[in-house]
Amino acid sequence: MSAPSPDGCRRSAGDSASERRGFGGMTLETHTRPVDPDFISRQVRGAKRFYLDLSPSPQSPLAVVCGGLEHCASDYRMQRESFPYFAIEYVIQGRGELRLDNAVGTLKPGVLFAYTPSTAHSIRTDPHAPLVKYFIDFAGARASRLLKTCGLADEAILQVFPPDSLMAIFDEFIDGGARAGLDDGEFHSKLLECMALKIRAVATPPKDAESVAFIGYLKCRSLIEQDFLTLKSLEQIADTCGMDAAYICRLFRRFSHQSPYQYLLHLKINYAAAELHRSDILVKDLAAEVGFKDCFHFSRTFRKLLGSSPAKFRNLR
């Protein structure tokens, strides 16, 4: 017989300090304390969690307290009027419904949201497609500013593209929590700041993610990624995408932090940097391979983007 916990969820009599459960072809290990904090949901079929200092110093600028990955049960429902910390949650599978104070949203893969200690919130899974989601709980004087940095302040709900683009960094939190020497808090606080920057780079509001304009932006970006070695100008990008150059620029201003030509240059230079470390190709040949007729122009662009000449960069390997 399960008993209700203070958060309104039910504790399972089978919950233990550490147990392996098969789920969807995966083996999950649930890491919990002998007595889990009351704010941790028990309505899960499997989880990977880590805990750091649950009572960080009020003077701490930024402190991660816990986090993890949860496979929600089909009856998962979380409803709170307040919470001890700031939190970011990230859906990777399933569907559900979300309410943040007065904001309402649909949960699906790639949706990212946050709440503060004073944000009333409710999360409900679709019983036919239970949610699988990551979460990070944190505190500190810079916590509110961090949410503004990544666009998650003021009940914002974001969609990241691709939907799995943040999984690796959330896994780093969990992996770091399990490693001796990385549980002093500094690793996780720095990782949280990095994650905020990554979110800003890959996120867009869900209503935009379903718009014709966003679909057009994704098409252009995909074609640039596919043909970046041969593309040399905005005009060629426009021809390849079958769109007006000015319209493509507007799409990138709306959904990205760089122009389509800047995105093209970054792809070329990142490819060139990898080749410099991988092979002994001559710089002039590499410049030609990535579409630069002028080797000096290539070197100037390389230095501008990576802060080093191609020759000096090669010597770093």
Side-chain angles (χ1 to χ4, degrees):
M1 182 75 177
S2 59
S5 68
D7 62 2
C9 300
R10 292 193 169 270
R11 300 174 186 267
S12 169
D15 284 345
S16 62
S18 179
E19 63 180 291
R20 291 190 175 274
R21 312 175 184 213
F23 177 75
M26 300 174 61
T27 300
L28 297 179
E29 186 168 351
T30 304
H31 299 283
T32 63
R33 294 185 166 194
V35 178
D36 271 338
D38 289 336
F39 59 82
I40 293 296
S41 173
R42 275 74 180 177
Q43 289 179 308
V44 297
R45 288 188 279 180
K48 291 182 179 181
R49 303 190 184 106
F50 69 90
Y51 298 98
L52 302 177
D53 184 358
L54 296 181
S55 300
S57 168
Q59 283 73 46
S60 175
L62 200 61
V64 173
V65 297
C66 65
L69 170 67
E70 296 180 331
H71 290 244
C72 298
S74 59
D75 61 346
Y76 179 94
R77 182 178 182 181
M78 178 64 68
Q79 187 164 352
R80 307 186 184 103
E81 293 302 316
S82 61
F83 191 65
Y85 312 109
F86 293 79
I88 294 176
E89 301 208 17
Y90 168 48
V91 178
I92 59 167
Q93 288 183 36
R95 299 187 67 85
E97 299 175 354
L98 169 70
R99 182 180 292 275
L100 299 174
D101 282 338
N102 297 318
V104 179
T106 298
L107 297 177
K108 60 182 179 179
V111 167
L112 192 76
F113 61 95
Y115 42 92
T116 73
S118 61
T119 305
H121 56 279
S122 64
I123 306 166
R124 183 201 298 265
T125 192
D126 180 335
H128 303 293
L131 293 168
V132 180
K133 59 187 180 67
Y134 289 92
F135 72 96
I136 297 294
D137 297 339
F138 56 99
R142 297 211 311 265
S144 293
R145 189 190 315 168
L146 182 132
L147 292 185
K148 291 181 180 179
T149 296
C150 59
L152 283 172
D154 302 322
E155 306 169 17
I157 302 169
L158 302 178
Q159 173 83 41
V160 300
F161 181 85
D164 62 354
S165 58
L166 296 175
M167 286 180 62
I169 197 164
F170 273 92
D171 285 334
E172 283 291 334
F173 279 103
I174 299 171
D175 183 63
R179 290 182 181 272
L182 291 180
D183 59 355
D184 62 355
E186 183 178 7
F187 170 83
H188 288 85
S189 63
K190 297 297 185 185
L191 190 59
L192 184 61
E193 292 178 314
C194 291
M195 185 176 73
L197 297 176
K198 180 70 178 287
I199 290 171
R200 187 173 67 181
V202 299
T204 187
K207 65 179 186 302
D208 287 339
E210 297 176 0
S211 68
V212 173
F214 187 66
I215 293 172
Y217 162 72
L218 295 182
K219 174 187 174 183
C220 289
R221 198 176 78 164
S222 177
L223 290 172
I224 293 171
E225 291 168 354
Q226 178 180 309
D227 296 332
F228 73 90
L229 287 178
T230 56
L231 293 173
K232 300 178 182 179
S233 66
L234 176 60
E235 289 70 25
Q236 288 184 349
I237 292 173
D239 289 341
T240 299
C241 297
M243 299 180 186
D244 179 72
Y247 178 65
I248 294 175
C249 289
R250 288 197 298 273
L251 291 178
F252 270 76
R253 280 197 300 271
R254 179 175 175 182
F255 298 113
S256 180
H257 297 282
Q258 55 191 335
S259 71
Y261 185 69
Q262 288 171 331
Y263 185 59
L264 174 64
L265 287 181
H266 274 91
L267 291 173
K268 289 178 180 291
I269 298 305
N270 286 342
Y271 174 87
E275 286 296 296
L276 287 171
H277 276 180
R278 187 186 67 83
S279 70
D280 293 322
I281 186 172
L282 296 175
V283 172
K284 66 175 182 178
D285 293 336
L286 181 57
E289 182 179 349
V290 296
F292 285 81
K293 291 183 179 180
D294 185 342
C295 183
F296 293 105
H297 181 206
F298 167 73
S299 295
R300 286 195 301 271
T301 303
F302 193 101
R303 181 189 294 274
K304 181 179 180 180
L305 295 182
L306 298 186
S308 170
S309 69
K312 289 183 178 179
F313 187 85
R314 166 172 275 161
N315 291 333
L316 294 176
R317 67 182 178 181

